[in-house]
Amino acid sequence: MTVHFNFDYCYNDDTFAWLFPAFPGLRFHHPSISAHVMSPEKFQHLVDSLDGQNPPREAPDQETDQQRRVLRYAVDALRYDALHRQVGKALEAARAENAARVIPFYRKPLSIAAAVAILICLSTMGKFALTSPKDVYDRYYSSYDIPTARGGEDLDPLEQAYQARNWSMADHLLTADAPPRDRFLAGMAYMEQGQYAGAIDIFKPLTQGTQYKDESEYYLAMAYLANHQAAPALELIDRIKADPDHVFHRQVMRMSGLDLLILRAK
Amino acid sequence: MEPQAADDVIITGIKSGDIDQVVRSLYHQYAGAVAAYVVNNGGSRQDADDVLQETIVAFIDLVQKGKFRGEAQVKTLLVGIGRNVWLNEIKKKKSLDHRGEVYEKDKGLEEADGSDWLQQRALQQRFRHLIARLGDSCRTILTLFYYDNRSFREIVSETGYESEQVVRNKKYKCMKDLAEIIQSDPEAMEQVRLMYE
C-alpha cells in the first residue's frame, strides 16, 4: 500500500520510517521528493549553470531535470516577489506625494477663516490705536433738540434763539439766578461752539437734583469725551446705562461696546 | 518621467528598469480608474490599493517578458487586469452579499480571458507564498543577486558579510532552502510540472 501525502511540511523518506515496522506493507511516497538527496556538488553545479557560470551537463537525468526546473521556478519566484515589494514601496511614495499635493477639503475654509481672523485682529488693533474719547464724541454727539410739543410758534425768545443757533445769547444767560433750563441751554451753546471745558462747568451742578438732570448728565458725558476725559465720561455713561428710565438711556445703549471697552483699556 | 507619461515612455521605462518612475506615472494616471471599479463593485479602499499593486506588478511582468505587443493602450490593459484581479478576489470572498451579482455581470469578460490568466495569477500568488517562508537574510541575498543583479563583491559591501566566499556559501545554502520549500509544496510542484518544461 502506498500513502500519498499532500501537506506543507518539509520531510524526507526517513520521517515516517518508524511506521514501517508496524505496517509492513506501508511505503511512503511523495511525488515531489526524489528517491535520494542530490549531492551538494551536483546541486551547486546546477545553480552555477542556472547563473550562466557553467554549461549544463549533457543528457541530464530525470532528477537533475526536475531540480533544474525547480531552480528556474525559484528564481522566477524571487524576481516576482522582489518586483511586488518594489512596486508596493513605489506606490506608497506616490500616494504620499499625492497627499502632499492635494489640499484637504477643509484647508481652504481654514485658510479663509485664518485670514478673516487676522483681518479682524488687525482691524481691532487699528481701532484700538485710533479710538480716542474725542472720536467717540464725534461719533455719537448730536445737538439737543428743544421739545416742540407745543408746535414751535410757542417757543420763548431764548428757545427761538437756540433753535436759530444764535450761540452768542449764552453769555447773557449765565447769571447767578438763571433757571436750570437757561443754564442748560447756555451749556449747549458752549458745546456747539467747542468750548467743552466751559460746558463741563455749566452741566456739572445741573446733574444734582434739577429738572434737567438727565439732559445734563448725558451732555456732561459728551463734554468730557470731547475734552479727552474718558474716565468721568465712562462713569456717567455707565450710570445712564444702568437706568432704563433715563431720558438718554436709548442713546447710550446705541454706543458701541467695543468703543467703550477701548476707552476703558486706555 | 512626468506623472502623465505617454504609453511608449512607460514601456521604455519598464524595459530599462526605471520601475519606481513607471509606478509613479501609472499611479497618477490610472489609480483612480482601477479604484473606482473595485469600490463600485463592493471593495474597500484597502482592496483598491491591493488590486492596484497587483495590477501594476502583473502589467510590468507582462512587459518584461515581452508579452505586451502594444496593440492595446496601457490604460485599457491596466483596467482590464484590475477588473480580472478584483473579479477573481470576489470569487474567493464568499462573504460578499452581492458576489454572485457582480460575478454574473462581468462573467463574459473573465471567460473571454480564458484560464491562462488565472493560471498565471495562481502562479504569482504561490510565488509570494513560498518566498514569505524564506528567512530574511536569504531573501535579501537572493534578491540582491537575482533581482538587483548585484555581484558578490557588491553584496558584501551592502550586507556586511565578511567576504565574497561567505556570500557564495550563504547564497548556495539559501537556494537549497528555497528549493526544499518549493519541493515540499504540492501546488508549487504541480506548477513546476505543468509550466516549467
Side-chain angles (χ1 to χ4, degrees):
Chain A
M1 181 177 74
T2 303
V3 177
H4 294 263
F5 290 88
N6 285 303
F7 49 82
D8 277 353
Y9 181 70
C10 194
Y11 48 76
N12 57 34
D13 287 343
D14 292 331
T15 304
F16 294 98
W18 62 272
L19 279 173
F20 298 161
F23 299 95
L26 181 68
R27 284 294 176 268
F28 166 75
H29 174 73
H30 189 290
S32 65
I33 296 292
S34 304
H36 65 275
V37 178
M38 181 177 280
S39 69
E41 293 78 15
K42 205 172 177 184
F43 186 82
Q44 180 69 64
H45 192 272
L46 269 179
V47 172
D48 289 340
S49 75
L50 179 78
D51 297 344
Q53 292 173 20
N54 284 333
R57 286 180 181 158
E58 292 184 10
D61 53 30
Q62 191 179 4
E63 179 202 356
T64 305
D65 183 58
Q66 188 188 55
Q67 277 287 29
R68 183 173 291 125
R69 286 191 277 145
V70 166
L71 289 174
R72 280 173 48 211
Y73 182 100
V75 172
D76 282 352
L78 281 162
R79 286 177 176 154
Y80 181 84
D81 174 75
L83 175 63
H84 197 275
R85 283 184 286 127
Q86 183 177 7
V87 168
K89 281 184 189 164
L91 280 173
E92 269 182 44
R95 285 190 192 102
E97 180 188 337
N98 201 46
R101 252 197 276 143
V102 169
I103 298 171
F105 71 93
Y106 53 79
R107 202 180 285 184
K108 199 166 184 185
L110 268 184
S111 301
I112 293 171
V116 168
I118 289 170
L119 273 173
I120 290 172
C121 196
L122 284 173
S123 167
T124 307
M125 285 168 62
K127 191 174 172 62
F128 184 88
L130 296 172
T131 299
S132 69
K134 185 66 167 58
D135 291 327
V136 178
Y137 164 83
D138 288 336
R139 209 167 295 146
Y140 297 107
Y141 175 80
S142 59
S143 296
Y144 173 76
D145 289 329
I146 295 173
T148 53
R150 292 172 297 170
E153 59 274 10
D154 295 328
L155 294 177
D156 60 33
L158 176 57
E159 288 172 336
Q160 288 177 22
Y162 182 86
Q163 291 278 55
R165 301 176 72 79
N166 184 3
W167 310 127
S168 61
M169 53 82 173
D171 288 334
H172 302 292
L173 297 172
L174 283 175
T175 59
D177 57 349
R181 186 209 71 165
D182 292 0
R183 282 187 274 152
F184 174 73
L185 289 177
M188 287 310 304
Y190 276 97
M191 286 290 287
E192 294 295 330
Q193 294 173 90
Q195 296 177 34
Y196 307 115
I200 287 170
D201 289 340
I202 294 171
F203 289 138
K204 241 181 170 177
L206 293 175
T207 64
Q208 304 300 319
T210 69
Q211 67 187 116
Y212 279 83
K213 170 184 169 297
D214 284 5
E215 290 85 349
S216 299
E217 280 179 339
Y218 178 75
Y219 284 102
L220 177 59
M222 290 290 116
Y224 277 131
L225 288 173
N227 208 38
H228 299 278
Q229 290 175 265
L234 288 169
E235 195 181 318
L236 282 163
I237 289 169
D238 288 343
R239 197 186 302 169
I240 297 170
K241 268 191 175 181
D243 182 4
D245 295 327
H246 198 285
V247 172
F248 288 86
H249 176 78
R250 191 185 295 177
Q251 281 86 337
V252 162
M253 291 306 287
R254 281 199 216 115
M255 288 183 181
S256 160
L258 181 60
D259 287 339
L260 300 178
L261 193 64
I262 291 171
L263 288 183
R264 277 180 230 280
K266 281 192 164 178
Chain B
M1 187 182 295
E2 294 297 322
Q4 304 286 334
D7 285 5
D8 58 337
V9 175
I10 288 173
I11 302 305
T12 305
I14 293 172
K15 290 179 177 174
S16 65
D18 197 5
I19 302 300
D20 290 346
Q21 287 303 316
V22 163
V23 171
R24 178 173 169 262
S25 182
L26 291 175
Y27 171 80
H28 283 296
Q29 292 186 80
Y30 307 122
V34 173
Y37 181 79
V38 173
V39 171
N40 289 339
N41 287 282
S44 65
R45 193 69 223 180
Q46 184 60 52
D47 289 331
D49 289 348
D50 293 342
V51 167
L52 180 66
Q53 182 175 358
E54 194 172 333
T55 298
I56 291 178
V57 172
F59 171 69
I60 291 173
D61 191 53
L62 273 174
V63 174
Q64 286 178 335
K65 288 180 175 155
K67 294 181 181 177
F68 177 73
R69 291 180 292 274
E71 289 163 355
Q73 287 186 324
V74 167
K75 180 180 180 180
T76 307
L77 188 56
L78 269 177
V79 174
I81 294 172
R83 290 177 67 186
N84 280 342
V85 168
W86 182 237
L87 283 173
N88 198 240
E89 282 302 309
I90 285 173
K91 280 176 74 176
K92 286 195 237 170
K93 290 187 180 187
K94 294 186 167 76
S95 59
L96 274 179
D97 293 338
H98 60 284
R99 171 184 61 91
E101 181 190 322
V102 175
Y103 178 57
E104 287 300 320
K105 193 168 68 179
D106 289 311
K107 199 175 174 185
L109 176 63
E110 189 175 346
E111 283 180 348
D113 287 341
S115 63
D116 286 350
W117 182 83
L118 286 172
Q119 200 177 40
Q120 189 67 22
R121 185 161 189 251
L123 177 71
Q124 291 165 348
Q125 288 179 321
R126 184 55 41 181
F127 281 163
R128 295 192 61 220
H129 171 77
L130 295 167
I131 299 300
R133 291 169 56 187
L134 201 58
D136 285 346
S137 59
C138 279
R139 199 178 191 179
T140 300
I141 283 189
L142 294 179
T143 299
L144 284 170
F145 189 86
Y146 286 111
Y147 184 72
D148 297 313
N149 296 313
R150 299 280 196 271
S151 66
F152 286 118
R153 180 182 298 181
E154 287 167 330
I155 293 174
V156 167
S157 69
E158 283 190 44
T159 58
Y161 283 106
E162 296 88 345
S163 66
E164 288 183 37
Q165 191 55 50
V166 169
V167 173
R168 278 178 210 276
N169 294 345
K170 180 74 177 171
K171 174 185 168 284
Y172 162 78
K173 185 185 176 308
C174 291
M175 282 301 280
K176 199 158 179 309
D177 288 348
L178 183 52
E180 285 173 6
I181 289 171
I182 293 167
Q183 287 169 329
S184 69
D185 189 293
E187 192 175 327
M189 289 309 294
E190 186 63 12
Q191 289 172 341
V192 169
R193 187 181 71 80
L194 290 173
M195 299 165 78
Y196 283 77
E197 291 297 327

